[in-house]
Amino acid sequence: MKKIAAFALVALGTLVLTGCSSAEKQAEQAQKFVHNETSLAAAQHNAVVNCEAANCDAAWALTKRYIEQHSDTPVTRADAVAIDTDVPSGGGKASFSATRDAKGSSATLTLFAQCRGMYGQDSAKGSDYDKCADKILKAQNGYAAFLRTHSSGQ
């Protein structure tokens, strides 16, 4: 009887610790999700570049090249105002688009990214969220630096 009672106490203690561990893990995951969402919003802001008329065409061509290098899908449209890639067929695949918004003699170039499986219902974290967030953060945060590095005269 003492062995059964001791076993029951050990089992109960293990369940309690497991419950605490699961709750802590869920809280950490929720905190990471909020942090990533904040980082993704900042990355979108970082993926906006203004260019002057003299270098906008070159920057736009570089934008297409950058998208081709980072997207998991091929470019399906590339004209003077937009670049789009195909919609990914599988989860965890990133696709990109860009817009060129003329403003007088200058323009604003904006890189957008999305990933299949990143979000579930009601914008909840999807099954491929972590993989997608990493891809998008790297691509959007690296966009302006890529343009600066590869532009003529830099």
Side-chain angles (χ1 to χ4, degrees):
M1 185 68 157
K2 287 183 181 180
K3 286 183 180 180
I4 293 173
F7 178 75
L9 283 174
V10 169
L12 181 60
T14 302
L15 286 174
V16 169
L17 291 175
T18 302
C20 290
S21 175
S22 294
E24 288 174 7
K25 188 174 182 178
Q26 288 176 346
E28 286 176 18
Q29 288 175 346
Q31 187 176 25
K32 182 179 178 185
F33 178 71
V34 170
H35 172 74
N36 278 347
E37 287 297 291
T38 302
S39 296
L40 286 165
Q44 180 61 63
H45 178 75
N46 295 337
V48 177
V49 175
N50 292 313
C51 59
E52 296 301 320
N55 64 1
C56 273
D57 287 341
W60 191 238
L62 286 169
T63 298
K64 181 177 183 265
R65 189 167 108 195
Y66 190 79
I67 287 172
E68 290 170 336
Q69 291 173 354
H70 288 84
S71 181
D72 291 318
T73 59
V75 170
T76 58
R77 173 187 176 190
D79 57 33
V81 296
I83 301 169
D84 295 308
T85 63
D86 203 359
V87 175
S89 60
K93 306 281 186 185
S95 63
F96 294 86
S97 62
T99 58
R100 180 177 179 175
D101 184 22
K103 298 180 186 221
S105 64
S106 64
T108 300
L109 310 181
T110 306
L111 178 70
F112 300 96
Q114 61 184 358
C115 199
R116 183 171 288 236
M118 188 166 176
Y119 295 101
Q121 291 183 342
D122 301 323
S123 298
K125 181 178 174 179
S127 59
D128 292 316
Y129 182 85
D130 292 329
K131 182 179 178 182
C132 291
D134 288 342
K135 284 182 183 182
I136 291 171
L137 287 168
K138 287 176 186 172
Q140 287 191 310
N141 284 327
Y143 173 62
F146 176 85
L147 292 182
R148 281 191 304 274
T149 301
H150 292 87
S151 293
S152 60
Q154 296 279 329

